[in-house]
């Protein structure tokens, strides 16, 4: 019985030490922890997120390069949604920052040597495509969409 308890505890500790994360921003350490996934790849895909102290510490260490109580507290105040969601059929999704996008599929004009994107993502509010720059948030939004709808963007 003790062996089973130790094994179970080891599995739990191993799992929490290597929790899955998603980026919410383009800077080093801008990550949140995945708490739960449901209906992945469907019209009601959801991923519950938690911005943990460990996430905030990673941001301070990796981007700010100085871990202080103030840095951690400031990072914990970043306003993020507790859940991201998508309709994988229509391609519409909402990121951790609350921004709405639509995945329109492969970019037929994609050229890996040129400055354009492999997939077309448009901002739902402006209907403008993201240009692929880190300032546009393309990589972060695409990664969140891929987590919600893995079969749509491979």
């Amino acid at each position: 019985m003790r062996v089973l308890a130790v094994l179970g505890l080891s599995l739990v500790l191993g799992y929490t030490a290597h929790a899955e994360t998603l980026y919410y921003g383009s800077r080093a350490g801008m990550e949140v922890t995945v708490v739960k996934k449901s209906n992945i790849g469907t019209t009601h895909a959801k991923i519950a997120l938690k911005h943990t102290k460990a996430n905030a510490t990673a941001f301070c260490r990796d981007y700010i390069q100085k871990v202080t109580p103030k840095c951690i507290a400031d990072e914990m105040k970043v306003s993020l949604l507790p859940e991201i969601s998508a309709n994988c059929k229509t391609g519409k999704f909402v990121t951790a920052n609350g921004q709405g996008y639509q995945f329109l599929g492969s970019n037929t004009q994609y050229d890996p040597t040129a400055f354009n994107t492999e997939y077309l993502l448009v901002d739902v509010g402006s209907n403008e495509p993201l240009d692929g720059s880190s300032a546009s948030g393309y990589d972060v939004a695409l990664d969140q969409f891929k987590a919600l709808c893995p079969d749509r963007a491979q």
Side-chain angles (χ1 to χ4, degrees), residues 53-93:
K53 186 174 180 182
N55 299 138
T57 301
F59 172 76
C60 295
R61 180 189 63 238
D62 298 343
Y63 182 70
I64 303 298
Q65 298 189 345
K66 189 171 185 185
V67 178
T68 65
K70 180 180 181 343
C71 180
I72 294 168
D74 289 348
E75 180 60 13
M76 291 297 294
K77 292 178 190 171
V78 171
S79 180
L80 299 168
L81 295 179
E83 176 180 273
I84 59 175
S85 61
N87 178 330
C88 298
K89 185 175 182 178
T90 65
K92 290 188 176 180
F93 66 107

Side-chain angles (χ1 to χ4, degrees), residues 82-134:
E83 176 180 273
I84 59 175
S85 61
N87 178 330
C88 298
K89 185 175 182 178
T90 65
K92 290 188 176 180
F93 66 107
V94 176
T95 65
N97 293 312
Q99 182 62 49
Y101 295 107
Q102 185 168 14
F103 176 85
L104 298 178
S106 295
N107 182 352
T108 58
Q109 319 218 325
Y110 176 62
D111 177 356
T113 64
F115 188 72
N116 61 12
T117 60
E118 184 176 2
Y119 298 102
L120 296 172
L121 288 180
V122 296
D123 180 301
V124 171
S126 68
N127 210 30
E128 292 291 321
L130 300 183
D131 65 15
S133 68
S134 61

